[in-house]
């Protein structure tokens, strides 16, 4: 697209030999009395189509966690759709945006559930009344620790984090200690870098330290021959570096409205696995199934157990009871996340049945389902508004994650969370004609039920302006 720019006049004190320089070819002509340039004529400057939304950096202190009015989203438009900016500006300037303010409470039930379900913004607002370093510091640290525990599954909820911590303590207490130590190191590094409180408390930059703590903790459990001091030093350094790397990756990807996810953990975790020989718990079969060697045929009851175990395998918990606690943590955060996660891990387990060989121990342990679970809950209502098309996209992403895990598992490279990250970042660019697949801006991310409220018909600015 090459629009023409018309300049009608110029300052009287413009230099006589003024020229206009640009990165492209431009035509410039002037006319005036006595040979001086007084009026500017036709100026043609080739430009490009700039249909991007503004970038929301992860460390923006002005970021509103729960917006009241949804802004215009160009990603909701199809290829041939058109934005009428004049009517939109006149509608907003006319004071009509007052009718769009959502004064209703979050989509929780009522009373006490408003302090339990979703992102529990009331607790965050209560703690933000005081500075971080104040008498309420212990409560802020506990809130940040618990929310960080749920961050790998996008569960920004302290009660979900408490259930996940209970699952870790039930499965492997030593791994839980390593993980909590890594979170504290990441929190300290985030405070040194002067990150905003809502960034620190939500676990966006500290979840990489948690995953690195899980990696080192499981490695020390399965390979106790590793020196303790070297493991603690490596975890401290990588947890601190993961904060800086996570900020850089999130800032870079946010230019195109993409989340940073766990890219920082993949880079540092691969370095730990390849350089120091640590244990990749995402490919480990932590549960022994003695009956699988006796009956090599598929056991569908064990496959259903593998569907439940897939949730626990995100944290390296292969037991059935810890996995059920992780599923309960997702149910507390959002029923939509829970349903999409179960659908994702079910599709991943079925893909594992078709591509793997007997005795199917990896399918029964939930290893094939954990990456599909993360991809399913990410695309099915969190980064996309929940509808039929987003659920279909989440199902395709779950299958793609399982196949990608199978491919990487056969190689010698550490898998970590690579299948989930690759599948999610690719499918976040999916578009459906007519704007049926609506992507949520990074600044508006809360939980799926709130996303449906923000994007419902009549609650969006473009719906009221164009109607």
């Amino acid at each position: 697209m090459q629009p023409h720019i018309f300049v009608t006049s110029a300052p009287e004190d413009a230099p006589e030999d003024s020229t206009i320089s640009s990165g492209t070819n431009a035509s410039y002509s002037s006319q005036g009395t006595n040979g001086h340039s007084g009026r500017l004529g036709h100026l043609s400057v080739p430009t490009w189509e700039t249909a991007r939304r503004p970038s929301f950096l992860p460390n923006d202190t002005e970021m509103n966690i729960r917006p009241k009015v949804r802004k215009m989203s160009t990603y909701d438009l199809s290829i041939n759709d058109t934005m009428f900016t004049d009517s939109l500006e006149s509608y907003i300037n006319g004071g009509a945006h007052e009718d769009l303010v959502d004064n209703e409470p979050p989509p929780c039930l009522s009373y006490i559930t408003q302090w339990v379900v979703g992102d529990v913004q009331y607790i965050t607002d209560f703690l933000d009344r005081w500075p971080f370093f104040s008498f309420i510091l212990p409560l802020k640290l506990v809130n940040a620790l618990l929310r960080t525990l749920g961050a790998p599954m996008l569960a920004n909820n302290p009660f979900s984090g408490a259930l996940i911590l209970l699952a870790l303590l039930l499965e492997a207490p030593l791994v839980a200690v390593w993980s909590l130590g890594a979170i504290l190191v990441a929190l300290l590094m985030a405070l040194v870098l002067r990150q905003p409180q809502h960034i620190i408390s939500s676990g966006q930059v500290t979840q990489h330290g948690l995953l690195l703590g899980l990696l080192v903790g499981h490695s020390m459990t399965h390979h106790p021959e590793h020196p303790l001091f070297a493991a603690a030093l490596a975890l401290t350094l990588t947890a601190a570096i993961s904060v800086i790397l996570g900020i850089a990756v999130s800032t870079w990807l946010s230019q195109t409205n993409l989340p940073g996810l766990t890219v920082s953990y993949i880079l540092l975790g691969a370095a730990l696995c390849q350089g120091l020989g640590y244990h990749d718990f995402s490919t480990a079969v932590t549960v022994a199934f003695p009956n699988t060697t006796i009956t090599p045929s598929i056991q569908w009851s064990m496959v259903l157990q593998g569907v439940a175990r897939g949730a626990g395998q995100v944290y390296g918990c292969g037991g059935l009871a810890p996995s059920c606690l992780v599923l309960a943590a997702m149910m507390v955060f959002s029923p939509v996340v829970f349903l999409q996660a179960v659908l994702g891990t079910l599709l991943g387990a079925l893909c594992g049945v078709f591509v793997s060989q007997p005795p199917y121990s990896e399918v029964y342990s939930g290893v094939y389902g954990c990456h599909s679970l993360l991809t399913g809950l990410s695309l099915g209502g969190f980064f996309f508004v929940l509808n039929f098309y987003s659920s279909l996209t989440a199902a395709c992403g779950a299958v793609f994650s399982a196949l990608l895990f199978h491919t990487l598992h056969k190689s010698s490279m550490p898998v970590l969370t690579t299948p989930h990250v690759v599948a999610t970042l690719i499918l976040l660019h999916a578009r459906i004609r007519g704007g049926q697949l609506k992507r949520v801006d990074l600044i508006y991310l809360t939980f799926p039920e709130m996303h449906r409220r923000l994007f419902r018909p009549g609650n969006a600015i473009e719906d009221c302006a164009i109607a």
Side-chain angles (χ1 to χ4, degrees):
M1 180 178 182
Q2 297 183 355
H4 292 80
I5 300 176
F6 296 92
V7 182
T8 56
S9 63
E12 296 296 336
D13 56 349
E16 295 181 0
D17 298 330
S18 61
T19 58
I20 297 178
S21 60
S22 62
T24 55
N25 297 328
S27 61
Y28 171 76
S29 61
S30 61
Q31 294 180 355
T33 59
N34 298 329
H36 294 286
S37 59
R39 305 286 294 179
L40 293 178
H42 181 268
L43 178 64
S44 176
V45 181
T47 60
W48 59 88
E49 182 68 26
T50 57
R52 286 186 179 180
R53 67 185 75 190
S55 61
F56 304 104
L57 301 182
N59 59 349
D60 186 5
T61 56
E62 301 299 329
M63 183 181 297
N64 184 13
I65 299 179
R66 173 171 291 162
K68 296 301 182 183
V69 179
R70 178 178 170 237
K71 297 181 180 179
M72 169 65 71
S73 177
T74 57
Y75 282 91
D76 297 339
L77 301 177
S78 62
I79 299 177
N80 296 325
D81 289 338
T82 305
M83 289 188 302
F84 299 96
T85 56
D86 295 337
S87 60
L88 176 63
E89 292 178 358
S90 61
Y91 185 83
I92 296 177
N93 295 332
H97 70 279
E98 298 293 337
D99 298 333
L100 300 174
V101 176
D102 189 5
N103 295 320
E104 299 181 15
C108 307
L109 298 178
S110 60
Y111 300 110
I112 192 63
T113 55
Q114 297 179 3
W115 294 77
V116 177
V117 181
D119 58 352
V120 199
Q121 185 65 25
Y122 295 103
I123 295 180
T124 303
D125 294 340
F126 174 77
L127 295 177
D128 286 344
R129 296 178 182 178
W130 297 274
F132 196 89
F133 294 100
S134 61
F135 69 96
I136 208 171
L137 177 62
L139 292 179
K140 287 180 174 287
L141 289 178
V142 170
N143 180 59
L145 283 172
L146 295 179
R147 289 180 184 267
T148 301
L149 286 167
M153 306 189 75
L154 306 177
N156 185 15
N157 187 302
F159 302 103
S160 299
L163 291 174
I164 293 173
L165 179 60
L166 181 60
L168 284 174
L169 292 174
L170 184 63
E171 176 77 14
L174 184 60
V175 176
V177 173
W178 282 96
S179 302
L180 292 177
I183 294 175
L184 289 176
V185 173
L187 281 173
L188 180 60
M189 190 63 183
L191 291 174
V192 171
L193 296 177
R194 303 179 65 181
Q195 292 297 300
Q197 289 192 31
H198 69 273
I199 295 293
I200 298 175
S201 62
S202 63
Q204 297 181 28
V205 296
T206 54
Q207 62 171 330
H208 313 293
L210 163 66
L211 295 173
L212 290 171
L214 292 172
L215 178 66
V216 176
H218 283 289
S219 179
M220 294 298 295
T221 302
H222 293 84
H223 301 278
E225 66 274 7
H226 289 298
L228 181 62
F229 177 76
L233 180 61
L235 179 59
T236 302
L237 292 177
T238 53
I241 296 173
S242 68
V243 177
I244 304 177
L245 189 59
I247 296 172
V249 172
S250 298
T251 305
W252 172 46
L253 291 178
S254 64
Q255 305 302 315
T256 54
N257 201 44
L258 289 175
L261 298 177
T262 56
V263 176
S264 176
Y265 162 66
I266 293 175
L267 299 176
L268 294 174
L272 287 178
C273 293
Q274 294 288 344
L276 301 179
Y278 282 162
H279 185 68
D280 183 9
F281 68 91
S282 62
T283 58
V285 182
T286 58
V287 182
F289 302 98
N291 295 328
T292 56
T293 58
I294 301 176
T295 56
S297 60
I298 187 68
Q299 302 179 29
W300 292 106
S301 61
M302 300 298 295
V303 173
L304 292 179
Q305 290 189 22
V307 172
R309 295 178 195 270
Q313 286 292 352
V314 176
Y315 299 90
C317 301
L320 186 59
S323 300
C324 292
L325 285 175
V326 176
L327 288 174
M330 287 187 289
M331 186 67 182
V332 169
F333 173 65
S334 170
V336 172
V337 167
F338 171 79
L339 294 176
Q340 294 294 335
V342 172
L343 177 62
T345 185
L346 176 62
L347 292 175
L350 293 178
C351 289
V353 170
F354 288 108
V355 300
S356 61
Q357 300 295 329
Y360 305 106
S361 57
E362 294 177 342
V363 178
Y364 301 154
S365 64
V367 175
Y368 269 93
C370 63
H371 305 283
S372 300
L373 177 143
L374 293 174
T375 305
L377 65 90
S378 298
L379 299 176
F382 195 85
F383 294 114
F384 285 127
V385 180
L386 179 65
N387 54 25
F388 170 77
Y389 300 98
S390 61
S391 298
L392 182 61
T393 305
C396 295
V399 174
F400 179 44
S401 298
L403 298 178
L404 186 58
F405 166 76
H406 179 75
T407 304
L408 294 177
H409 187 32
K410 297 301 180 182
S411 63
S412 58
M413 297 179 60
V415 178
L416 304 174
T417 57
T418 304
H420 154 59
V421 171
V422 172
T424 302
L425 292 181
I426 290 177
L427 290 178
L428 279 178
H429 288 284
R431 296 290 176 268
I432 294 181
R433 192 178 184 88
Q436 296 296 329
L437 193 60
K438 299 180 180 180
R439 191 163 124 200
V440 183
D441 291 331
L442 295 181
I443 196 173
Y444 296 156
L445 291 176
T446 52
F447 54 100
E449 287 79 4
M450 177 61 72
H451 299 163
R452 283 186 59 86
R453 287 177 62 93
L454 292 175
F455 283 79
R456 66 186 179 185
N459 196 35
I461 291 180
E462 63 267 28
D463 295 337
C464 299
I466 297 176

